[in-house]
């Protein structure tokens, strides 16, 4: 019974952990996956805390934390497929993207388009690998924080799209 209390669910309890870690709510799936939740379906509080401490020891800014959470083990850069679980959660939970809820066949095409736009705006080296340095120089993470701030407001146009357009303006 106590073991069940110490488990986190990916889309439930994990958002509280994001706030405790001072991360945007949209980092909940990368945080959960980095702590092993993608393999087991749950994460113990002990395992989550150990993972977060390791990140705090090695990652000293949001860009390096984001890369560490999304990248494949041993990589210090992001490739296009690293964004898929993260963006799928955005599609599933962002109020401004509610129009996509019933169009599940369109999710992968929408996510692919968003990833392409992210790489176009952030990956200035054009090598298909986004580094922490490139993330720090872009406004992608700031835009993501803004998306979290307006998460529960439904805008006339999808707010995620507006934020991507904002990224393109810089």
């Amino acid at each position: 019974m106590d073991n069940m209390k110490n488990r986190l669910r990916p889309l439930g309890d994990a958002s509280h952990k994001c706030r405790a870690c001072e991360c945007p709510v949209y980092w909940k799936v990368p945080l959960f996956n980095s702590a092993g939740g993608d393999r087991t379906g749950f994460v113990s509080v002990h395992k989550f805390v150990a993972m977060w401490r390791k990140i705090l020891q090695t990652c000293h800014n949001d860009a390096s934390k984001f890369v560490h959470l999304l990248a494949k083990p041993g990589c210090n850069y992001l490739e296009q497929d690293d964004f898929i679980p993260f963006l799928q959660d955005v599609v599933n939970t962002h109020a401004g993207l509610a129009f996509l809820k019933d169009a599940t066949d369109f999710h992968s095409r929408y996510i692919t388009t968003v990833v392409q736009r992210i790489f176009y705006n952030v990956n200035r080296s054009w090598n298909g690998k986004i580094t922490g340095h490139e993330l720090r120089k872009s406004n992608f993470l700031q835009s993501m924080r803004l998306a979290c701030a307006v998460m529960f407001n439904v805008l006339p146009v999808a707010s995620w799209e507006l934020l991507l357009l904002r990224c393109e303006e810089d």
Side-chain angles (χ1 to χ4, degrees), residues 21-24 27 30-31 34 51-71 78 132 135-136 141 144-145:
C21 296
E22 298 180 359
C23 295
W27 289 23
L31 282 166
S34 288
M51 176 273 306
W52 187 244
R53 283 185 179 156
K54 181 180 175 186
I55 288 176
L56 290 177
Q57 291 172 352
T58 58
C59 304
H60 304 291
N61 56 56
D62 283 349
S64 62
K65 289 174 190 171
F66 188 76
V67 169
H68 184 87
L69 289 171
L70 267 66
L78 297 172
L135 271 176
R136 279 189 297 280
L141 294 175
M144 186 176 28
R145 284 198 184 271

Side-chain angles (χ1 to χ4, degrees), residues 98-117:
F99 66 95
L100 284 174
K101 286 248 193 250
D102 295 330
T104 55
D105 294 342
F106 188 65
H107 287 191
S108 64
R109 285 177 261 161
Y110 182 82
I111 289 170
T112 299
T113 301
V114 171
V115 168
Q116 293 297 318
R117 291 175 72 176

